[in-house]
Amino acid sequence: MLLAWLLLLTPPDAPRLDCRGAAMERCPPGLAGPTCDLPCDGAACEIAVTCHANGDTYGLSSFGAHLFALEPGDPDWLVRLRVLRFILDHPTDLGLQPPLRAHDLGLGSAPVRRVAAGALQLLRFEQRWRDVPLFGADATLTLVADPAGVIAIRGSVSDDREDYAFAPAPAGRDAAEASIRAHAAARAAVDPAELRLVDLRLVAFSRARTLGWAAAVFRGPARVADVVVAADPRAPVLPLLYYVDPVGAGLGDTLAIEVRAEDLATDIFTAPIETKTVSTVPGGPLTGSVSDGPVRLADEHVVLIDAAGAASRGEALASPIVGQLGTHFDAYPGTREYELQNSYYLLRSFYAHTDAILRGRWDSALPTIGLASALPPEQFSPRLVVAADPAANLCGPASWCVSSAWGGGTEDPPEALQHPTSVAPYEVVGAMYLKGSSYSPSVLPHEFGHFVDLFAAPGLMYEPFVCMPCAADCYPGTTDESLALSETFASLIALWLYRSLYPAAGQAASCKTFSYLSLGENRNPHNEACRPDGNEFSRFLDNDDPACPSDEFDYPDLCDRPSQVDIDFDEGTGLCDRQIGYMMDSWFQAFWELLHGERCATTPPYTCTPLPALTAAPAADAIGRALLYAAQVSSGTYRGFADDVATYVACNHGEAAYLELNEVLCHHDIRPCDAPAPTLCEFCGDGVRTGREACDGGDLGGQTCAGLGFAGGTLACDATCRLVEDDCMSPGTGSEATGEDATSTGEPPAPTTGDFATSEPPATSGAGILFIDPGATGGDQAEDGCACASAPGGSWWLAVLALARRRRRPRS
């Protein structure tokens, strides 16, 4: 099946396709959505669909519209109810077959996890299939909400009506353990007896529609692989579904230290590198650890280990750097000690700069292997353990890599372990392996980008989409792109760090920066200083696209997306290849402009002019935060990632900043030039009625008591941007609308007789369940749940939502 790119922001005459390749009619003006039932918030709106390569719908995003209304403070039960209502009302939009009932869905009852990203909020739900936990990216359903409602859903919705292979009689635990051990031993080239399994469990593997057994595999303290095998009871060795080699409590007694490191304000690309003694990193002092004797280059966030001579991951954790002069590490350039100390300083600087934004929003990696972290998300901070110059190649074909590594071996130094409490499992840490002790200036910031990827969202950006039966396929525009996207993201984080922390290398006219970072053929930044000859810049187009300024045989390559003829589906090459992610010069050039708050001309000379709205943000901070937010949403596709960046900027910095950002992305063909803003978040209290605010201060949007059906009076606005009708006169009486006759929503009062007067709202057989507001019943239900029972007849959706109507903000 050949899938087209499914972003629905297409020219008017282009066909609209769903994830199965079926054509959909275009919506009339003012409406959006695959079924054209979502009203536009403004003049224009559109919908984009993100797909898995197998045709499943992975995401639905709105632009200039809301999928449904939601307020930031809504309780879990109401959020879950509104999600269910949207799914039941829009099954085909999400790739589900109608008719659909609520008990067909696998949304768990666990508390909804809420993650703030400026004015945006991510709400995460656990999913199951017939009470079996899902494995991979679809185990989590994520909603993206602005202050007015939900604008995107990420994750394939689990449908219990689908049949999964081997569900009636899955293979047993013993067969699963032996099979997983055999697969891991063969791929890691070790004796199966040396391996142990952690958290062997039955899972639903949605990509292959089958039940499987999953486990994390360890050799000593080192995590070797995450493995899922099909639960086929007939197979002597259970078939492999998923195999990933993970190559991608704070310490006490820390104290301030000094190291000699490169001076970031100077030219870091040209030898000799100027150095200085440093004792601080962004936000505070540079610290080391004395928790195990001499002072070490280690603290609660970053641990540096000299792994020289180590032949395995376990051995690589044996030798933290120890200071010979107490708290003063005073090695000089040209020595091994200097290179290691310099790396520690740089990584601590990267971590501090990133943690200032992600603190309270990092994610433990334990849930990816089926274990619960003892730390609540708002208290968790990941640890990076860096092993420099091991004797063994711990990165496979790469010279440097970042992985998720298990901690817990008794021979490990305390700095390499993250163990918040004595009864909890050790946290998974980020492990960076570096070949040698001296590296190109691009290595550390790029590899640190992978570390951010590991802990910015549940699971990895790319690993949850890997499927062994699907591995021979490559469908650009689907989540098959996630391998390449993970590399592009790491390089974009490096660009952000250059711009923020390196006064010299971070300048817009620093033409050497890309030559160290990119493996593409058209590396120079898109500005007059770096392109004085007027050479064409890169675009995110297929090589055979008529808009591409050169054909595929020209040098340098001006279009980063390979054409269909360049993709070998048997080998999985092309845009689905991880290597292509290093070569996205169109993205590097576009984001270099944005990080500097400038727009460069599309024709020579490439004169650059400031972008006022982004510059005021300031640009480096706004774009850096947008990149981190996009990693948390984890779109899995290039276009989806660009949309996530645009969503963050539009919501948190306004329409002017969004238009500036989109113009730069547009001239690199990363987003359509006429794409409407994904959302324009209103800000209650600024005195301007925007978005779905009923009012704001004195701005009532022209509304009056008479216009709302009252006899007269004075309409007002409260501090939450809701209309206050207390001083309006009731029709026919001339009295003030108070007590039972008035609401603060502009709606008639809820009935006090009939079904609504009881604790149970009416239900409908179409949904098959009854929902009750826990607060309305006075019962002993948990906050995160709802009472569920089969019931015939009635309009239950209307009844349940009426329970909350008095406190809802009116929508204009």
Side-chain angles (χ1 to χ4, degrees), residues 658-690:
Y658 163 76
L659 292 173
E660 292 174 353
L661 171 129
N662 200 60
E663 182 178 355
V664 174
L665 297 182
C666 158
H667 69 236
H668 286 277
D669 289 283
I670 293 173
R671 292 190 86 237
C673 297
D674 58 351
T679 180
L680 294 174
C681 301
E682 62 262 26
F683 295 93
C684 182
D686 61 4
V688 180
R689 178 180 176 270
T690 55

Side-chain angles (χ1 to χ4, degrees), residues 291-317:
S291 62
D292 188 31
V295 181
R296 299 162 181 251
L297 287 181
D299 66 6
E300 64 271 21
H301 292 145
V302 178
V303 178
L304 185 66
I305 293 169
D306 185 352
S312 68
R313 285 190 176 94
E315 291 181 12
L317 297 176

Side-chain angles (χ1 to χ4, degrees), residues 309-396:
S312 68
R313 285 190 176 94
E315 291 181 12
L317 297 176
S319 304
I321 309 299
V322 175
Q324 302 301 319
L325 302 174
T327 62
H328 188 51
F329 292 71
D330 195 20
Y332 282 82
T335 66
R336 177 186 185 83
E337 291 77 9
Y338 167 79
E339 299 295 347
L340 297 174
Q341 293 169 26
N342 184 51
S343 296
Y344 180 71
Y345 165 64
L346 295 176
L347 290 168
R348 281 295 291 116
S349 298
F350 302 160
Y351 193 111
H353 187 69
T354 308
D355 187 57
I357 298 172
L358 285 182
R359 187 178 299 119
R361 292 160 52 189
W362 294 104
D363 278 289
S364 168
L366 278 176
T368 66
I369 57 173
L371 299 176
S373 172
L375 291 172
E378 61 272 13
Q379 296 180 18
F380 173 76
S381 292
R383 180 167 299 166
L384 174 61
V385 181
V386 185
D389 198 21
N393 186 355
L394 303 181
C395 292

Side-chain angles (χ1 to χ4, degrees), residues 90 106 331 380 443 476 480 515 527 644 700:
H90 301 82
F380 173 76
V443 168
D480 278 357
S515 64
N527 56 50
D644 294 335
L700 303 181

Side-chain angles (χ1 to χ4, degrees), residues 71-91:
E71 292 188 10
D74 282 342
D76 284 4
W77 70 268
L78 184 57
V79 174
R80 188 172 285 106
L81 176 60
R82 290 182 181 277
V83 176
L84 285 171
R85 174 178 178 173
F86 179 81
I87 296 173
L88 296 182
D89 288 348
H90 301 82

Side-chain angles (χ1 to χ4, degrees), residues 81 88 102 761-771 794-801:
L81 176 60
L88 296 182
T764 174
S765 58
I769 60 173
L770 172 69
F771 292 86
S795 180
W796 69 280
W797 287 121
L798 179 62
V800 175
L801 295 180

